[in-house]
C-alpha cells in the first residue's frame, strides 16, 4: 500500500517536471533581458509594443466571429442529423475529421488559389481576407466544434425533447432556442474557448492570408529577432490559455449545477 | 360521431408493416389502453395520433376534424413519454408553464395554472427544483402536469410507468386514473403490462403484429378472450390440446380424463377433432366440499408462494397446468409429490379459436 503511494507520487512528479521544466526555463530566460540581473524588461517591452496588442485584439475578433459562424453552421446541422438523418452521422463525422488529415498549408493554398481571382476575388480587400480567414478557421476548428455539439446532443436525447416541445405547441425556432441550445450551453462554451485558443495561436493560415495583422505571425516575428521578448510572449500566451481553460471548467461546472445529469 | 376516430389507419416503414388497418372509435372521457408485446405497433399508433408519424393510409379524426396532416404543435394533444422528457434547463414550474408561454398566455394566468397543477400532482414544494433533483416518479408527475397545463383535447401516455419501480408504478397509475376521472379527459395509454392495462382502462385494445386482436372492457378481455393470443397475453393461462368427444354435450378428453366445457364455440366442432382449450389458474380449486362440473386427479409438481396467492403446478398425464389459490394460513397446502383432486366448472373451460 505504502509502496504504491510512493510510486504514484514518483510518476506525478515526473509528469509535472516534464510539463513545467521547459516552461520554467522559458520564464527564467524571459527575465534575463538585462545582462547583469533578473528583470521584467522583456515584459515591459512586450507591453509597450502596440503591434502585439493590435494583433491580439484582431485575432480575438476573428476568433469570436469564427465561433459565431461555426455555431450558426453546426448547431442546426447536427440537430437535424440527430433528429431526422441519423444515417448521415458517420459521414458528417468523417468530414469533420478532414481538417486533422489535410494540413493547414494545403488548405490555405487551396483558399488562395480559388479566392484570389474571379468570380470570388476575396484576397484583394481587408474585409475579403478577414472573411477568408474566418472561413478557413471554421473548417480548421470543425472537429472540435462538431464533437462538442454532437456529444452535447447525445447527452440530452434531442429527439424526445423536440417531440415533447412540439406536443406543447412549440415551433422550430422556440424548440431550437429555448429547449435545445440552452441545454447545449456547456458543450458550446467548451468548444468556443477551445476555438478561441486555437485561433489565437494559429500561424499557417493567418500568415498567408492576413500576415502580421494576426497574433500568431506576430509572435513568430518577435521570436525571429527579439528572443527575450518572445519568451515573455510565450509565457503570456500560456497564461492566456490557462485562463481560458479555467473559464471552461468554471462554466462547465456551473452548467452542471443548473442542468445536471439526467 | 365518436370523439376520436382512427379510420383504417396503416403505417409502413419501408417494407415493414408497423400498423395495419387499425380502426378504432374513442368516446369523450374514455380511458383506452393499447396493450401488446414490444414491436406490436402500439407506440406507432400513439405517435400517429400525436402527429409525429404520418399514416401511410387512413385518416385520424378528432372532434370531427381531420387531423391526419396537422403538424404536432397545432393539434393541442398532450403527451407523456417513457423517459419523462422534461427540459433539463428549466425548473419544475418553468417546465409546466412551457406550453402556456409558447401560447403567450398572460403571466398571471400561467402562475395560477402552474399552482393548480402542482397541487394536482402533489409537488407544491418542488416548484423551483430542477428535473435532475427529482426522483423518477416525481419527474413523471411533472411531465403529466406539463402535458395537462395546455388543457389538451386528448392526453397520450407512452409507457409512462415503465421506467419506475414496482411500488411507485402502482401508486402513480391510480393517481393517473384519478386525475383522468377528475378532469374528464380522454386518454390513450400505451403499455405492455397487462396488469396495468386491466387496472386502469375503460377499454383495452390488444394488439399483435400491427393489428387489433380484440377491443373490450378489462372484464371482457380477461374473461372472454376471443383469440388464443389475447387469452395467453392477458393474465396467466393454462392451455392444452384436447379431443372433442361430444360437441353438443361439451364433452372433451384431456390426457385420458373427461372434461366438460360450456364454451358455445364447441358446438361447431366435430367429434374426434383436436382443439386447444384454456383454463385460468384461479378457476381451478382443490376438491373439498364444493364439487364443480369437472373433477380431475393430478400430481403436485411444485408450489410457489406469491404472497396473497399460492400457485400450485399440477401434472395430469403429460399435461402440466397451474392452479392459483388464495393464501389461507389456516388451510394446509398439499405436499409436493402427493396426488390431489381438483375441480373446475364447465364455464371455466374455454376453447380457443
Amino acid at each position: 500500500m505504502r509502496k504504491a503511494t510512493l510510486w504514484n507520487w514518483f510518476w506525478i512528479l515526473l509528469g509535472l517536471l516534464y510539463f513545467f521544466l521547459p516552461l520554467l526555463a522559458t520564464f527564467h530566460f524571459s527575465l534575463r533581458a538585462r545582462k547583469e540581473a533578473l528583470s521584467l524588461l522583456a515584459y515591459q517591452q512586450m507591453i509597450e509594443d502596440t503591434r502585439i496588442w493590435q494583433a491580439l485584439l484582431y485575432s480575438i475578433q476573428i476568433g469570436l466571429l469564427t465561433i459565431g459562424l461555426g455555431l450558426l453552421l453546426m448547431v442546426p446541422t447536427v440537430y437535424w442529423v440527430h433528429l431526422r438523418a441519423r444515417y448521415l452521422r458517420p459521414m458528417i463525422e468523417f468530414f469533420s475529421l478532414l481538417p486533422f488529415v489535410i494540413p493547414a498549408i494545403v488548405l490555405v493554398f487551396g483558399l488562395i488559389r480559388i479566392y484570389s481571382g474571379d468570380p470570388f476575388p476575396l484576397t484583394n480587400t481587408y474585409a475579403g481576407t478577414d472573411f477568408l480567414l474566418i472561413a478557413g478557421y471554421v473548417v480548421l476548428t470543425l472537429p472540435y466544434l462538431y464533437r462538442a455539439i454532437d456529444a452535447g446532443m447525445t447527452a440530452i436525447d434531442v429527439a424526445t425533447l423536440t417531440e415533447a416541445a412540439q406536443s406543447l405547441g412549440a415551433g422550430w425556432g422556440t424548440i431550437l432556442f429555448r429547449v435545445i441550445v440552452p441545454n447545449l450551453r456547456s458543450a458550446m462554451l467548451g468548444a468556443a474557448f477551445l476555438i478561441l485558443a486555437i485561433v489565437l495561436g494559429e500561424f499557417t493560415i493567418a500568415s498567408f492570408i492576413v500576415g502580421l495583422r494576426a497574433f500568431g505571425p506576430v509572435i513568430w516575428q518577435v521570436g525571429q529577432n527579439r528572443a527575450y521578448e518572445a519568451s515573455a510572449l510565450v509565457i503570456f500566451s500560456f497564461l492566456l490559455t490557462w485562463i481560458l481553460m479555467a473559464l471552461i471548467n468554471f462554466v462547465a461546472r456551473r452548467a452542471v449545477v443548473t442542468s445536471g445529469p439526467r | 360521431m365518436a370523439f376520436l376516430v382512427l379510420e383504417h389507419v396503416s403505417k409502413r416503414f419501408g417494407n415493414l408493416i408497423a400498423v395495419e388497418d387499425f380502426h378504432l372509435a374513442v368516446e369523450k372521457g374514455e380511458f383506452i389502453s393499447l396493450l401488446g408485446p414490444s414491436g406490436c405497433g402500439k407506440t406507432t399508433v400513439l405517435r400517429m395520433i400525436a402527429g409525429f408519424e404520418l399514416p401511410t393510409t387512413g385518416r385520424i379524426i378528432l372532434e370531427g376534424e381531420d387531423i391526419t396532416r396537422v403538424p404536432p404543435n397545432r393539434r393541442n394533444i398532450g403527451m407523456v413519454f417513457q423517459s419523462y422528457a422534461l427540459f433539463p434547463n428549466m425548473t419544475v414550474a418553468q417546465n409546466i408553464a412551457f406550453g402556456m408561454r409558447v401560447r403567450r398566455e398572460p403571466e398571471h394566468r400561467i402562475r395560477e395554472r402552474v399552482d393548480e397543477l402542482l397541487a394536482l400532482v402533489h409537488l407544491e414544494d418542488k416548484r423551483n427544483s430542477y428535473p435532475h433533483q427529482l426522483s423518477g416518479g416525481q419527474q413523471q408527475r411533472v411531465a403529466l402536469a406539463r402535458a395537462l397545463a395546455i388543457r389538451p383535447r386528448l392526453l397520450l401516455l407512452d409507457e409512462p410507468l415503465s421506467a419506475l419501480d414496482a411500488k411507485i408504478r402502482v401508486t402513480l397509475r391510480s393517481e393517473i386514473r384519478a386525475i383522468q376521472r377528475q378532469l374528464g379527459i380522454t386518454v390513450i395509454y400505451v403499455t405492455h403490462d397487462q396488469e396495468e392495462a386491466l387496472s386502469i382502462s375503460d377499454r383495452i385494445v390488444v394488439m399483435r403484429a400491427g393489428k387489433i386482436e380484440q377491443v373490450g372492457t378489462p372484464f371482457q378481455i380477461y374473461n372472454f378472450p376471443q383469440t388464443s393470443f389475447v387469452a395467453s397475453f392477458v393474465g396467466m393461462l393454462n392451455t392444452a390440446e384436447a379431443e372433442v368427444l361430444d360437441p353438443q354435450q361439451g364433452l372433451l378428453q384431456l390426457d385420458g380424463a373427461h372434461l366438460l366445457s360450456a364454451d358455445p364455440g364447441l358446438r361447431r366442432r366435430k367429434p374426434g377433432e383436436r382443439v386447444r382449450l384454456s383454463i385460468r389458474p384461479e378457476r381451478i380449486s382443490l376438491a373439498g366440499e364444493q364439487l364443480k362440473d369437472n373433477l380431475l386427479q393430478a400430481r403436485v409438481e411444485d408450489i410457489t408462494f406469491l404472497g396473497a396467492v399460492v400457485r400450485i403446478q399440477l401434472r395430469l398425464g403429460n399435461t402440466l397446468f397451474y392452479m392459483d389459490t388464495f393464501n389461507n394460513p389456516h388451510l394446509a397446502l398439499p405436499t409436493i409429490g402427493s396426488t390431489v383432486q381438483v375441480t373446475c366448472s364447465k364455464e371455466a373451460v374455454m376453447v380457443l379459436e
Side-chain angles (χ1 to χ4, degrees), chain A residues 160-161 163-171 178-179 182-183 257-261, chain B residues 47 52 73 77 81 83 85-90 99 101-103 130 132 146 150:
Chain A
T160 317
L161 285 186
E163 287 178 354
Q166 275 183 314
S167 75
L168 293 166
R178 283 179 51 192
V179 177
N183 286 306
V257 173
T258 53
S259 72
Chain B
R47 293 176 58 80
F52 301 136
N73 57 339
I77 292 177
F81 299 83
S83 60
L86 295 179
F87 306 129
N89 57 313
M90 298 179 201
R101 293 240 156 83
V102 167
R103 286 166 173 72
Y130 282 93
H132 75 272
R146 182 179 68 176
I150 58 170

Side-chain angles (χ1 to χ4, degrees), chain B residues 98-217:
Chain B
F98 182 85
M100 287 177 284
R101 293 240 156 83
V102 167
R103 286 166 173 72
R104 296 182 201 288
E105 287 187 27
E107 210 47 43
H108 69 272
R109 281 250 298 278
I110 295 180
R111 229 171 303 127
E112 276 169 31
R113 184 86 177 128
V114 169
D115 289 343
E116 195 181 309
L117 285 161
L118 281 171
L120 186 72
V121 297
H122 314 299
L123 285 175
E124 293 98 326
D125 55 332
K126 298 288 180 193
R127 148 193 300 277
N128 294 319
S129 302
Y130 282 93
H132 75 272
Q133 296 167 321
L134 305 179
S135 70
Q138 289 171 332
Q139 289 192 52
Q140 201 55 297
R141 283 207 188 99
V142 178
L144 185 65
R146 182 179 68 176
L148 290 170
I150 58 170
R151 298 181 199 278
R153 298 195 274 178
L154 190 66
L155 181 64
L156 309 176
L157 298 116
D158 186 8
E159 308 229 10
L161 307 179
S162 300
L164 303 172
D165 52 54
K167 252 213 164 101
I168 294 171
R169 221 157 43 209
V170 174
T171 20
L172 199 49
R173 88 178 173 216
S174 35
E175 266 181 59
I176 290 174
R177 181 60 157 155
I179 288 170
Q180 182 265 339
R181 283 204 171 114
Q182 190 183 334
L183 303 180
I185 191 169
T186 315
V187 170
I188 314 280
Y189 187 100
V190 161
T191 180
H192 63 265
D193 182 338
Q194 40 103 6
E195 189 194 311
E196 210 168 280
L198 289 171
S199 67
I200 207 171
S201 326
D202 290 319
R203 280 194 298 158
I204 298 174
V205 179
V206 184
M207 289 182 68
R208 179 201 193 186
K211 288 187 199 159
I212 295 180
E213 284 273 318
Q214 189 176 349
V215 182
T217 63

